[in-house]
Structures are given as structure tokens and as C-alpha cells.
Amino acid sequence: MLMLLVCSSASSRASAFVPRSSQVARAPAWAVESEGGPVLGAPSQALAQSPAVTTAMLRNLPCDFTRSDLLDILDREGFAGADGYDFVYVPIDFKRKLCKGYSFVNMVAAEHLQRLVKVFNGYNGWSGSSTKVCQASMSHTQGLTANIERYRNSPVLCDAVPDIFKPALFMGKRQVPFPEPTRKFSQVIQHF
């Protein structure tokens, strides 16, 4: 069934994670750490050259994978709470209602990201019958603020989209609301 969603821009979501617009315009610290800018790509190279790199992209996830599945694995591998993540997003193909095969995880500190990459690069301990082998690398979008800014005006955060399909923010082990959008959402066609 095809459904047209019209999303309103306002909701009662907290904006405690995002600095005011005058602060957002400044370049993040990781973007100016070297004269050539941030180095993205191979985990060891990126981590060695930019200590502020905190966001990983996990590829080759099982098709039936959900955000909840990723959170369960992250927690089981010891990444819950203060030593763990503060942003998790598993993009979903709305038409097929399946994972697109990748996710983004932002860690609270670069040293936690090093451990995340070590654990998930080559990971294949999925709970189902998938034989996929995960590849962990650095995301092009780095840091909590950059990830919030990337998604806060995305139609995926529309109130009509189920929470399980949305990016999620965390303080410790507790999920917290995403900040309010800064502009109106356009009409979006979704399949539910």
C-alpha cells in the first residue's frame, strides 16, 4: 500500500544536543586537525590522524537487521552506557521494509571508536542465519553534532515514520528525543 505522508515541522522534541545556529556554522574540530583536513577511509589511518573521529559506518549487515538488533549487539559487545554510543542509525528501504545493509554509529569518544572498529571489522556473529561479514570504516559525517544536523531536517524523522526506522540519540543507556527540525518537512512518499 502506498501512502503519502505530510509531516509537520514542529514536535515536542528536545534540542539539548545541538548548539544554537551561531555555533553550528563553525567548522568542527576534526575538520581542521591537519592542513589537508580530515582523513577518511581506512580505520587505522583515520584514527591515527584525527583523534576526534567518532563515527563509524558498519557495512554488510543482514537484510532483516533492525536498529534494535544493532543496539542488542552493541550492548552485548560492551558498548552500552558512558563508554559507548550516543547516535545510532540503520537506514531502511521503506518499500521492502528491510535494512539497506549498513548503519552509522557515533561513539562518545575516539578511543571507544577504535574498539568498535576492532570488534566489528570482520564481525559475523549475527543471531540469524546470515553469513555476511561486517566491514567497519569511518563515516564521512563525523561527530554527534554533525550527525544531528545531517538528520534533524530529514523526512525520516517525520512523526508519521515509525520510530524503529529513525536515527536515535542516547545519553548513557537511555534513548532521548531528537532535536526539533529547523525547517518544515516536505511531502514524502513512504511505503508502510
Side-chain angles (χ1 to χ4, degrees):
M1 178 178 166
L2 180 65
M3 193 165 89
L4 179 64
L5 300 177
V6 180
C7 303
S8 66
S9 64
S11 67
S12 60
R13 298 184 178 162
S15 59
F17 284 100
V18 181
R20 296 290 172 226
S21 59
S22 62
Q23 295 171 327
V24 174
R26 293 182 300 180
W30 61 267
V32 293
E33 100 295 325
S34 71
E35 60 188 16
V39 179
L40 302 174
S44 60
Q45 182 184 23
L47 291 170
Q49 294 188 20
S50 179
V53 173
T54 57
T55 308
M57 181 178 193
L58 305 178
R59 291 184 172 93
N60 294 333
L61 303 179
C63 293
D64 61 349
F65 208 65
T66 65
R67 184 181 74 202
S68 179
D69 294 330
L70 180 56
L71 293 173
D72 288 346
I73 291 172
L74 287 168
D75 292 353
R76 186 173 62 233
E77 294 293 337
F79 294 104
D83 293 338
Y85 51 85
D86 52 15
F87 173 89
V88 175
Y89 181 43
V90 179
I92 301 293
D93 177 333
F94 291 113
K95 186 174 183 177
R96 298 181 316 142
K97 296 185 183 106
L98 294 173
C99 171
K100 290 186 175 184
Y102 60 93
S103 67
F104 300 97
V105 179
N106 189 72
M107 304 303 286
V108 296
E111 59 268 15
H112 304 310
L113 181 66
Q114 291 174 347
R115 193 168 70 81
L116 178 90
V117 169
K118 186 175 182 178
V119 168
F120 282 95
N121 203 29
Y123 185 88
N124 63 355
W126 317 115
S127 58
S129 61
S130 177
T131 59
K132 290 188 173 188
V133 177
C134 185
Q135 295 175 352
S137 62
M138 299 305 102
S139 173
H140 289 285
T141 302
Q142 283 298 319
L144 180 61
T145 300
N147 279 291
I148 289 171
E149 287 304 310
R150 178 175 181 185
Y151 293 105
R152 77 184 298 180
N153 290 312
S154 170
V156 76
L157 287 176
C158 173
D159 289 337
V161 174
D163 182 64
I164 61 171
F165 297 152
K166 297 178 182 183
L169 294 175
F170 297 88
M171 290 184 87
K173 293 183 178 184
R174 187 174 58 95
Q175 184 175 346
V176 296
F178 224 83
E180 292 182 20
T182 59
R183 61 178 174 81
K184 278 190 162 196
F185 289 124
S186 58
Q187 291 183 350
V188 183
I189 296 177
Q190 304 291 344
H191 302 268
F192 293 105

